[in-house]
Amino acid sequence: MLQTMRPDPTFHPSPRLAMEAEPERIAYTVLLSPDRSQPDALAVVDVDPASNTYGTVIDRLVMPNLGDEFHHFGWNACSSALSPMSGHAHLQRRFLVIPGIRSSRIYIVDTQPDPRKPQLVKTIEPEELLRKTGYSRPHTVHCGPEGIYISTLGGAGADGTQGPPGIAIMDCENFEILGRWEIERGPQKLHYDFWWNLPRDYMVSSEWGLPPQFENGIVAEDLLANKYGHAVHFWSLRERKHLQTIDLGSNHQMALEIRPAHDPTREYGFLGVVVDTTNLEGSIWTWYRENGEFHIRKTATIPPEPAEADQLPPLLKGFGAVPPLISDIDLSLDDRFLYVACWGTGELRQYDVSDPMHPRLTGSVRAGGIARHAQHPSGRPIGGGPQMTEISRDGKRVYFTNSLYSSWDAQFYPDGVPGVQLMCKVGENGGIELDPAFYVDFGPDYAAHQIRLQGGDCSTDSFCYPSA
């Protein structure tokens, strides 16, 4: 009994203490069936370099349904449970919460007693989520101090357009859907990512599009008409109230990943924007709070790369270039390096963001890409490009997969995106290089999306105390 009342040793008060924890030995990666002919799955990957099964899939948990489309997923509990206001110190980082973005079904997977052989323990059907919240298409999962927050991309109705999407709250112990998080929504009508600064009591959220704009592929007419999301929203966490919207300009289409500084004394963070419709460039924005007001500034741009028409899929032939298509960003726990996945050009970039208003490019690797088709250092081919990115707690390893979303994969990479997981090693003072010994092949029938690391990672945990 005394043992169960102790905080989980993978919960850390501050980012610096998390960086000092032992390295990960297991990665959990969600796999999806692009043609929905077989159930999606959770792969367990050995990432321990001392193991004789290093870089291989050591287990695969196959789900019982077809057509879920696994995308983002998260833990039931993390370092936020150490909050002095509403913590649950007896919780464990034990369960993975895995939504199906297409089916609106949510799976609860237990990683104990054997983390190498997780088991499905509960399934939440879409009717329950819709009945209790009015939401559909669950997307991003974050463990908060008092529950599990799940962003959604759709409302009610068959096409998910009856009412705006938002955030659902799930009980972190019995996994019951409790209801909507929002009390005062304000002008927010679209949703994508969200994250927060717990001690400073605010949340930031971003925008993609409604289900008809992404489920069957990108809608070129909507993109050219600037009808995808292009704003960020700021909220009061405790009041569950919308505070402020900042529109980036309608040409900045698809404001996606939110990455706040990990140290809660630092009131800034980063946002990745997929494409500027005036010039095809991608961009990084830095948001910050000053005198009680939130502001945002474009702080880095990544240009498109010229390409011949015969190198391009039909969607891009008329442009004569490949846009970077910034699909993910991730920030190291020391708030020093920001990694930017350019899924279109096949580049993973590393920026030094010690000065968050002036990111400085310090490293780059190539893997796949629409025109380049860059191979792995082992000589093996890569479909797609760097996509979902995850950084080890100590900042020395960066893992990534190569699929964005099944229908978008087919549009931009018509030759297919067989699932792989790769890893970069990080230099002491910056710089990255692909590890030639790490190439996880999930087979031709599965695409690979988000990664979670055993014990937590850089896009899982939010911290309650500053680093000393």
Side-chain angles (χ1 to χ4, degrees):
M1 180 63 180
L2 290 175
Q3 178 68 23
T4 62
M5 294 302 292
R6 295 178 56 198
D8 187 313
T10 73
F11 297 168
H12 304 284
S14 71
R16 182 167 297 171
L17 291 173
M19 293 183 71
E20 296 171 0
E22 66 176 26
E24 69 282 355
R25 294 186 175 88
I26 291 172
Y28 299 99
T29 305
V30 286
L31 308 179
L32 58 111
S33 172
D35 62 1
R36 288 165 262 168
S37 63
Q38 53 193 315
D40 293 354
L42 176 69
V44 184
V45 178
D46 187 338
V47 296
D48 180 0
S51 170
N52 58 10
T53 54
Y54 174 65
T56 66
V57 177
I58 53 178
D59 192 60
R60 185 174 292 187
L61 174 62
V62 178
M63 298 303 167
N65 300 288
L66 296 175
D68 287 312
E69 184 108 17
F70 285 170
H71 202 62
H72 292 192
F73 71 120
W75 291 103
N76 67 303
C78 59
S79 297
S80 66
L82 300 180
S83 168
M85 300 299 294
S86 56
H88 293 268
H90 59 282
L91 284 176
Q92 293 178 286
R93 189 196 306 269
R94 174 172 177 170
F95 298 93
L96 290 167
V97 181
I98 309 177
I101 192 176
R102 189 178 290 273
S103 69
S104 297
R105 189 177 287 114
I106 302 172
Y107 298 97
I108 309 299
V109 172
D110 193 351
T111 65
Q112 291 188 13
D114 184 356
R116 297 166 69 92
K117 292 188 176 296
Q119 300 296 319
L120 176 64
V121 294
K122 183 172 182 174
T123 301
I124 300 164
E125 295 297 337
E127 293 79 13
E128 180 179 349
L129 177 66
L130 184 63
R131 178 172 59 86
K132 292 182 176 179
T133 67
Y135 296 149
S136 64
R137 282 72 172 185
H139 185 252
T140 297
V141 176
H142 277 310
C143 31
E146 75 288 355
I148 301 167
Y149 292 58
I150 305 175
S151 72
T152 64
L153 302 186
D159 66 355
T161 62
Q162 294 180 20
I167 295 173
I169 297 290
M170 176 186 285
D171 188 283
C172 56
E173 297 182 273
N174 62 21
F175 306 108
E176 291 293 317
I177 300 291
L178 299 177
R180 294 186 180 189
W181 174 77
E182 298 85 2
I183 296 294
E184 296 182 33
R185 180 187 304 279
Q188 177 258 318
K189 301 298 182 189
L190 299 175
H191 218 294
Y192 184 73
D193 197 15
F194 70 103
W195 217 350
W196 45 52
N197 183 317
L198 290 173
R200 302 294 190 177
D201 195 37
Y202 65 81
M203 175 189 286
V204 188
S205 67
S206 61
E207 302 182 338
W208 186 15
L210 292 174
Q213 294 179 294
F214 61 79
E215 287 191 331
N216 297 314
I218 191 170
V219 181
E221 296 80 8
D222 281 5
L223 179 65
L224 296 176
N226 296 332
K227 291 183 178 180
Y228 285 88
H230 46 84
V232 287
H233 302 273
F234 299 88
W235 308 76
S236 165
L237 265 177
R238 188 165 306 187
E239 296 180 292
R240 292 151 65 186
K241 173 183 177 182
H242 188 279
L243 298 176
Q244 187 180 342
T245 296
I246 302 179
D247 194 321
L248 309 179
S250 61
N251 56 303
H252 295 113
Q253 288 284 282
M254 292 178 274
L256 296 189
E257 303 296 339
I258 295 284
R259 297 289 180 259
H262 295 285
D263 190 320
T265 63
R266 299 170 175 170
E267 293 195 76
Y268 65 83
F270 302 94
L271 168 74
V273 173
V274 175
V275 65
D276 184 333
T277 53
T278 65
N279 54 22
L280 296 186
E281 72 181 13
S283 53
I284 302 300
W285 298 64
T286 305
W287 50 263
Y288 58 100
R289 185 161 69 168
E290 190 174 77
N291 299 322
E293 287 289 313
F294 291 97
H295 309 269
I296 194 164
R297 184 187 306 171
K298 186 193 294 187
T299 50
T301 58
I302 303 174
E305 297 181 355
E308 299 297 326
D310 60 3
Q311 296 177 293
L312 299 172
L315 191 68
L316 295 175
K317 284 188 183 296
F319 294 97
V322 178
L325 300 178
I326 296 175
S327 55
D328 192 25
I329 62 175
D330 205 4
L331 180 64
S332 61
L333 282 188
D334 58 5
D335 294 329
R336 182 179 178 191
F337 292 116
L338 184 74
Y339 294 89
V340 179
C342 303
W343 186 69
T345 51
E347 183 183 20
L348 180 69
R349 289 188 166 208
Q350 178 200 61
Y351 287 90
D352 187 324
V353 290
S354 302
D355 179 350
M357 293 301 168
H358 299 92
R360 181 171 58 88
L361 184 64
T362 49
S364 170
V365 297
R366 295 278 180 166
I370 291 171
R372 291 201 179 201
H373 308 295
Q375 292 184 330
H376 189 255
S378 65
R380 302 179 73 174
I382 301 164
Q387 218 287 87
M388 292 312 297
T389 304
E390 199 46 77
I391 312 166
S392 63
R393 293 179 298 280
D394 60 14
K396 296 180 180 180
R397 294 163 298 286
V398 181
Y399 303 88
F400 64 91
T401 54
N402 61 331
S403 165
L404 193 153
Y405 187 82
S406 60
S407 54
W408 295 48
D409 290 357
Q411 286 179 302
F412 288 96
Y413 289 94
D415 292 337
V417 185
V420 299
Q421 183 172 321
L422 309 178
M423 188 264 282
C424 294
K425 294 183 176 179
V426 180
E428 191 70 29
N429 295 304
I432 50 176
E433 60 179 358
L434 283 164
D435 181 350
F438 192 93
Y439 182 108
V440 184
D441 183 354
F442 297 109
D445 298 326
Y446 277 109
H449 202 68
Q450 192 170 44
I451 304 161
R452 287 284 171 232
L453 302 182
Q454 182 186 32
D457 46 59
C458 292
S459 66
T460 297
D461 283 45
S462 46
F463 299 94
C464 305
Y465 306 90
S467 295

